[in-house]
Amino acid sequence: MAGDDMRRDGVSPETDELASTLMGDAFDLLASGEGFEVLLVVQDEAGTVSSYEFEDDGPEACLEGARDRVRELAGALRYAIAYEGAVADEDGSYADALLLEFGERGYRAYSAYSLIGGKGAGDRFTWTDPAPAGELEPLL
C-alpha cells in the first residue's frame, strides 16, 4: 500500500463512474422504499464489478464489514460504499443523507453525501447533488 504522501489526488473517471452508478442504485432503492444498511461495489483489475449488501448487523457493524471486505479482496482496484446517515446543518440540526465512500489503489480516498427526502415516495423522492465530505483512510 502506498504511503499517503505517495497517493494521487483526485478521482479517476472509472472510480467516478463506479461511485456514481452505486449512488444512483441506492437512490432507486430509497425511492422505492426498499431499505438497506450498506451497499458495496468493487472493481478488479480485469474490470469485473462485484456487488455486496451488508444487512445482518447494525449499521456500524455493516459498514465495518464492507470496509473489511474491500481490504480482503485480492485484485481489488477501486471501490464505492453507500449507506444512509445524517449530516449536521449549520444550525446543528440533522438532515437525512446518503453517504458515499470511494477510493482506488494508489489514490487518496474520499467521502461525499447527498441530502435525501421522501423515502419510499417513488417519483416524489428527492436528493441533492453530491457534496464533498472529506478525505478518508484509504482501504486499498
Side-chain angles (χ1 to χ4, degrees), residues 6-135:
M6 301 298 290
R7 291 183 179 273
R8 296 175 63 180
D9 290 328
V11 178
S12 73
E14 296 84 2
T15 299
D16 184 52
E17 180 180 345
L18 185 73
S20 296
T21 299
L22 177 62
M23 191 167 240
D25 291 346
F27 286 151
D28 289 345
L29 289 171
L30 292 168
S32 70
E34 293 182 48
F36 63 88
E37 289 291 337
V38 177
L39 303 175
L40 164 66
V41 291
V42 179
Q43 188 173 36
D44 66 17
E45 295 163 352
T48 303
V49 176
S50 300
S51 300
Y52 304 89
E53 183 173 354
F54 297 81
E55 61 184 356
D56 292 334
D57 288 316
E60 288 298 319
C62 288
L63 181 56
E64 282 308 309
R67 290 173 178 155
D68 288 345
R69 178 68 52 94
V70 171
R71 290 182 191 104
E72 295 166 357
L73 288 171
L77 181 59
R78 60 184 58 89
Y79 66 92
I81 301 171
Y83 53 96
E84 283 186 78
V87 294
D89 290 349
E90 294 170 2
D91 64 3
S93 62
Y94 286 87
D96 291 337
L98 179 67
L99 302 163
L100 184 71
E101 299 180 5
F102 51 95
E104 181 174 348
R105 184 177 319 227
Y107 282 79
R108 296 183 185 276
Y110 300 99
S111 62
Y113 70 92
S114 180
L115 299 179
I116 57 173
K119 290 191 302 187
D123 291 342
R124 293 185 314 279
F125 174 76
T126 60
W127 68 91
T128 62
D129 287 337
E135 191 173 330

